[in-house]
Amino acid sequence: MSLPALPVRLAPARLRRAAGPLAARLAALHSSVAGVAAVEFALVLPVMVTMLLGMSEVTLAVNVDRKLTLLSRSLADLSSRVQTITTSELDDIFKASSIVLQPFSVPGLRMVVSQMYVEQVSGTVYRQSVNWSCARGTGATAKPLNVYESTVPSGFQTDKSYYMLIDVALPYTPMFGKAITGTITLAESTPWPIRNNTKVTLSGGCPSST
């Protein structure tokens, strides 16, 4: 006489009792959920920390770059408002403009102030040359005089005219990503119209470059 078949829902329990304690432990381990949250947190934590540090680094770099843009515009505005600028006045302008970077440090800041002279070659073709140029900061180099360049910014293409060109650069070292990116050079170039005059005359030469 054969035994009646067990319902499907009772089969696993019957098998566990028949297989002994080891099978019961394995079955309990398979259905256990203890520690799942800890494992998931351990997997997600590095990604979350990386995202947090990356967002902080990008925010800081954007703020420094914005400050550098403000510095460039301040330097352009201050140097373009007078008819004649002396050596000491340009030195003061360099010092005053660099304060714009605060609270960020300024080691390695390079600033170049140049007055450009624009000429019309023919039709819509213009060229420019450097009328005078002064630099401030370690590694900063003044533009060579009377060297013609064919690229004239839009809005400054007027025959026999002058405008100020400001070039600033600052080496930026990320706080957390230095090993990956190294030092990055942030740079800004700002063409600026001369205020209230046709040109700015440099009197006395350039101040010290440091």
Side-chain angles (χ1 to χ4, degrees), residues 42-201:
L43 294 174
V44 174
L45 180 62
V47 178
M48 295 175 62
V49 171
T50 301
M51 291 178 61
L52 176 62
L53 296 180
M55 292 172 62
S56 301
E57 196 67 75
V58 169
T59 300
L60 181 60
V62 169
N63 287 336
V64 174
D65 187 66
R66 178 176 173 273
K67 286 280 190 176
L68 193 65
T69 300
L70 293 176
L71 182 152
S72 179
R73 294 181 178 181
S74 299
L75 189 56
D77 189 46
L78 291 174
S79 62
S80 65
R81 287 182 175 272
V82 294
Q83 184 175 0
T84 301
I85 188 169
T86 64
T87 303
S88 61
E89 288 173 341
L90 185 55
D91 183 64
D92 290 339
I93 289 173
F94 276 130
K95 292 176 181 178
S97 299
S98 62
I99 296 176
V100 175
L101 275 180
Q102 293 183 357
F104 303 108
S105 59
V106 296
L109 174 63
R110 302 190 297 273
M111 299 179 285
V112 180
V113 179
S114 306
Q115 181 171 246
M116 310 300 292
Y117 176 61
V118 180
E119 296 176 285
Q120 184 178 22
V121 178
S122 62
T124 58
V125 179
Y126 293 84
R127 66 180 183 181
Q128 63 181 3
S129 60
V130 180
N131 181 250
W132 60 263
S133 180
C134 294
R136 168 63 59 88
T138 303
T141 305
K143 291 181 176 292
L145 303 181
N146 302 320
V147 175
Y148 289 106
E149 302 174 359
S150 59
T151 303
V152 179
S154 176
F156 298 91
Q157 297 177 355
T158 302
D159 188 34
K160 295 180 175 58
S161 65
Y162 296 85
Y163 73 94
M164 304 302 295
L165 180 62
I166 311 301
D167 296 290
V168 295
L170 179 69
Y172 173 74
T173 303
M175 296 178 59
F176 306 108
K178 179 180 178 180
I180 300 175
T181 63
T183 299
I184 304 170
T185 299
L186 304 176
E188 185 75 22
S189 182
T190 304
W192 200 265
I194 295 174
R195 308 290 188 180
N196 308 320
N197 302 287
T198 57
K199 62 182 293 188
V200 176
T201 301

Side-chain angles (χ1 to χ4, degrees), residues 19-43:
L22 179 59
R25 293 193 190 98
L26 292 176
L29 179 63
H30 176 73
S31 60
S32 175
V33 295
V36 172
V39 173
E40 291 177 347
F41 178 75
L43 294 174

